[in-house]
Each structure stands twice: as structure tokens, then as C-alpha cells.
Amino acid sequence: MATINDNYLKLKAGYLFPEIARRVNAFAEANPTAKIIRLGIGDVTEPLPEACRTAMINAVEEMGDRAKFKGYGPEQGYAWLREAIAKHDFQARGCEVDASEIFISDGSKCDTGNILDIFGKNNVIAVTDPVYPVYVDTNVMAGHTGDANEQGEYGGLVYLPVTAENNFTAEIPSQKVDLIYLCFPNNPTGAVASKEHLQAWVDYARAHGSIIFFDAAYEAFITDPAIPHSIYEIEGARDCAIEFRSFSKNAGFTGTRCALTVVPKTLTGKAADGSDVELWKLWNRRQSTKFNGVSYIVQRGAEAVYSEAGQQQTQALVRFYLENAQIIREQLTTAGLAVYGGVNAPYVWVKTPHGLSSWDFFDKLLQTCNVVGTPGSGFGAAGEGYFRISAFNSRDAVNEAMQRITQTFKA
């Protein structure tokens, strides 16, 4: 009989968001007239920008013309999209990133898991706590961890707690770690990292031969000019960091699927014989073997983000969701709840009131207010006692949800 990958058996009973869906579906079946407002997963609600839609429509028409038809594209992505990204997202901010170092993919979630393909099994891995679950679960699946304890912490991982007590800023580890996951603006806490804080991480990584996996999926929501948008704004980062980005939130591509990963050609890792190996070559080989690229139509839509109209429209989308976050912050504060984040990020991190656990608060919001959020404990042990509320929804839905919550919790 065929055997399985036993590492999957180490995973907790269900991935966070399917468990949320299970509870919401059960409630909806039992309460068919309830008008449920979902502020849980980070899925967008507003239409794709017109510039992107127009570009995609034109690309579809091209696919109907034998002379313009496109079949398999480059696994790394079309050069015109990579060049636009390099120019607007990196070089415009003073980052030394070449178009050839950019790889187009169908999601930064996918890439943060797939990147493990090119790294060995004996690396010491550090994650912040709370953490985006994909970072942990993909390492479990790959056999990089031991079993989970009662708090859900996996043996073999170095957890770096981030809470209100340390201003949601992870301390540099005292021991040597090899792979470091950082996400800023942070999912789930909404915290951001100063240039000084990122410089400390880069200095640590360079001193210890570590690699930083820098998830910048929410960089478009940074409004503070002092906050870096890219790890490559930090001196020395090209020698120690891989960056992940996405079109999902700034351009509404959650269902359209387009993202990118930057692997500098100066970045190296160690082979078993002690020699240095260029990680760019390994990732290029991995993508060429396991990935057939993002569709031509979608890449044309992503390219349109960098047009004058596309920039105006995507910036308007970001402002819309940030205004939602401001409403959430203000209304929850009025209700007497302690809130964090939601300023340079689309997530508001809430301290659960009255000593309620994260899941108890989830159930109370669902049953009393018919509002769905995300329990902090689903992001790690340090997330217990917190709750994430997403700003990704319509204005009417956000206003209605906040009215329900303030009526329930306001003293």
C-alpha cells in the first residue's frame, strides 16, 4: 500500500480559515435569516480597477487573433511586467532590484511555501508569534518541525512573541537561526517596522549567514513616509533577503491571482560540501520545473497597475480600505475595546474584552452581532486574547458591523 507524508498528521485539526468557515456555515444553517457580515479573511470586495479590466479585455481579444495569440509564456513572467515592477516598485524607491531578479507567480501565499523547496531540512527557523499560519504549516508539511504542544507551538521552530507589551516588535533572537519570516505591514497585528528595526534584522542575518523571508504583501497600505516599503531599502538586504509581494490587496487580484518574488542574484546559501550556491539559480530551476507561469491575460492586467490611470485607481482602492480601517478603529475604541494596527495596514488587532478567549469572542460576535472576524489564537499562542478584524469589505457593511458591535459592547 502507498505510504503518506506523515508530517501532515502533525498539523492541527483544521487550517484556521476552513475552521472559521465551518463555524459560520453551521451558524448560518441554524439561523437562515441572520445577515452575517464577514470581516474575517483578507479578501477584497471592490471591483478590479478599470485600467486592469480594460487591459485584460484587450488581452482576451488578442488571444482570439492567430497573429497575437500567446501560448506558454516565460515561467519567470513576461519581461514587460517584470520591468514595470522593477522600475515603479523598487528602483523608484532607491532599491537595487533588476527585472531579471523578479519572478511572477500566482500568489505570495504560494511562494512563501514553495520557497522551502530550495532550502535544506536542517535549518533553524524563526517565526513571529502571532504569525500568518502558512509560514508554520508549510514547514510542518515539509518535515522541518517536531510535534505541536498544547499551545500549538511546534518543536524545532523558534517563536518570537509580539504583543502589546513589546509594541508588537519581535526581539532579535539570542541564538543563531537560519531562516527568518518577517511580515510588514504585519498580518495579523497591523504593526509596521521602522527602518532601524529592519536594519537590525539585516545586520543579524548578515552576521549569521541567515536568510530573511520578507512578506511585503501589504506595503501599499503604508502611509507614513518614514516606514520602508521594501526590505531592499535597507543597506545589505540584497545579501540576506528574499521579498514576496502581491497584487491581491492593492489591485484587488485575490481571485485573479498575480504576485511576485524577488531573489537577488547576490544571495547565496551553503551546499552540503560547504560551497556557496546562488539561490537565484535554484529558484529559477524550481520555477522552470514546477510552474508554467501566470496567464498572459492576467499579467497584462497586472501591468496596467503601473499606468497613470492604474496608479490612480489602485491608490483609490487602498485609500478606501484604509478609511474602513479608520472607521473600525474609531468605533471599537468608542465601544471601550483596546485596538492596535489599522493605520498603515488593513487589519485591526483587538484585545478581547472581559478575559474572553479568542474563540469565545469569535462565537460571541457571530452569535450576538452576526459579525465574523478571526481569532488571534489561530495565528499562534501569543495571539490568544486578541482578535483580527479586516477592513476588506464594503463601506455599508463596515458601518453596519461597527454599529452592531458598539451597541453590544459599549458601556
Side-chain angles (χ1 to χ4, degrees):
M1 181 178 290
T3 60
I4 64 166
N5 179 353
D6 282 347
N7 293 306
Y8 277 70
L9 302 180
K10 300 176 187 175
L11 293 167
K12 288 179 283 187
Y15 181 59
L16 173 61
F17 298 111
E19 173 60 17
I20 290 173
R22 186 192 68 79
R23 295 194 185 202
V24 172
N25 291 338
F27 176 81
E29 289 177 7
N31 301 272
T33 62
K35 296 181 179 179
I36 299 172
I37 299 176
R38 301 169 191 266
L39 299 176
I41 65 172
D43 198 0
V44 297
T45 58
E46 305 309 295
L48 288 175
E50 182 181 359
C52 299
R53 300 197 310 269
T54 299
M56 293 171 73
I57 290 169
N58 291 338
V60 169
E61 292 298 327
E62 288 184 55
M63 297 296 274
D65 183 338
R66 180 180 293 275
K68 298 178 180 179
F69 174 81
K70 301 291 189 299
Y72 289 123
E75 294 92 348
Q76 301 80 7
Y78 285 99
W80 34 263
L81 176 56
R82 298 159 79 195
E83 288 164 1
I85 292 168
K87 176 182 177 181
H88 292 276
D89 287 344
F90 295 102
Q91 294 164 8
R93 299 192 64 83
C95 302
E96 186 185 344
V97 172
D98 187 77
S100 65
E101 298 173 315
I102 295 170
F103 294 79
I104 306 302
S105 78
D106 57 353
S108 56
K109 173 183 177 180
C110 307
D111 282 0
T112 56
N114 292 336
I115 196 69
L116 295 174
D117 281 5
I118 67 171
F119 288 93
K121 293 186 178 298
N122 297 320
N123 290 304
V124 178
I125 299 158
V127 297
T128 57
D129 181 12
V131 64
Y132 182 43
V134 171
Y135 308 157
V136 171
D137 288 357
T138 52
N139 274 287
V140 176
M141 294 171 178
H144 298 167
T145 75
D147 293 325
N149 62 21
E150 293 180 356
Q151 288 75 42
E153 298 170 329
Y154 286 93
L157 295 183
V158 175
Y159 288 87
L160 308 172
V162 289
T163 64
E165 286 69 33
N166 62 14
N167 199 30
F168 301 102
T169 302
E171 295 183 9
I172 304 295
S174 56
Q175 73 267 52
K176 181 184 182 301
V177 299
D178 302 302
L179 303 177
I180 304 159
Y181 288 84
L182 296 179
C183 175
F184 292 109
N186 185 254
N187 178 15
T189 68
V192 291
S194 67
K195 186 173 184 179
E196 293 74 21
H197 184 59
L198 292 182
Q199 186 68 65
W201 275 111
V202 167
D203 292 345
Y204 170 90
R206 294 182 71 192
H208 292 86
S210 312
I211 300 294
I212 296 171
F213 296 153
F214 191 76
D215 188 345
Y218 300 96
E219 62 79 27
F221 294 87
I222 295 173
T223 57
D224 185 343
I227 301 299
H229 288 241
S230 169
I231 192 72
Y232 301 119
E233 294 179 49
I234 308 303
E235 184 177 355
R238 283 183 55 85
D239 298 327
C240 64
I242 294 172
E243 182 163 311
F244 307 90
R245 289 199 181 197
S246 173
F247 291 93
S248 284
K249 306 306 193 293
N250 67 328
F253 273 44
T254 54
T256 306
R257 311 308 301 152
C258 195
L260 62 114
T261 293
V262 181
V263 183
K265 292 183 177 179
T266 52
L267 199 58
T268 62
K270 288 289 184 184
D273 63 5
S275 62
D276 291 330
V277 178
E278 294 180 27
L279 296 182
W280 183 94
K281 290 182 178 179
L282 299 185
W283 185 243
N284 186 60
R285 184 68 171 85
R286 189 269 174 205
Q287 292 299 83
S288 298
T289 301
K290 289 190 172 184
F291 186 57
N292 266 343
V294 175
S295 78
Y296 172 75
I297 297 164
V298 169
Q299 289 193 60
R300 281 299 186 192
E303 180 194 30
V305 166
Y306 301 102
S307 67
E308 183 176 352
Q311 287 289 283
Q312 293 174 352
Q313 291 159 19
T314 53
Q315 289 167 14
L317 266 182
V318 169
R319 285 195 303 271
F320 175 82
Y321 291 124
L322 282 174
E323 288 166 2
N324 278 353
Q326 181 179 359
I327 292 169
I328 294 169
R329 279 181 55 90
E330 291 175 350
Q331 291 300 308
L332 294 183
T333 301
T334 299
L337 300 175
V339 299
Y340 308 91
V343 176
N344 293 286
Y347 296 122
V348 177
W349 192 236
V350 185
K351 182 68 177 173
T352 58
H354 313 307
L356 290 173
S357 74
S358 297
W359 279 107
D360 285 345
F361 188 63
F362 172 90
D363 290 334
K364 184 174 180 64
L365 277 190
L366 177 60
Q367 295 164 11
T368 306
C369 306
N370 302 161
V371 174
V372 178
T374 309
S377 60
F379 297 101
E384 180 53 75
Y386 291 94
F387 197 80
R388 193 191 77 176
I389 295 183
S390 168
F392 293 116
N393 212 314
S394 69
R395 184 61 45 80
D396 287 345
V398 167
N399 284 330
E400 174 64 22
M402 292 306 104
Q403 182 180 3
R404 296 180 191 177
I405 293 173
T406 53
Q407 287 176 347
T408 298
F409 289 95
K410 190 173 182 181

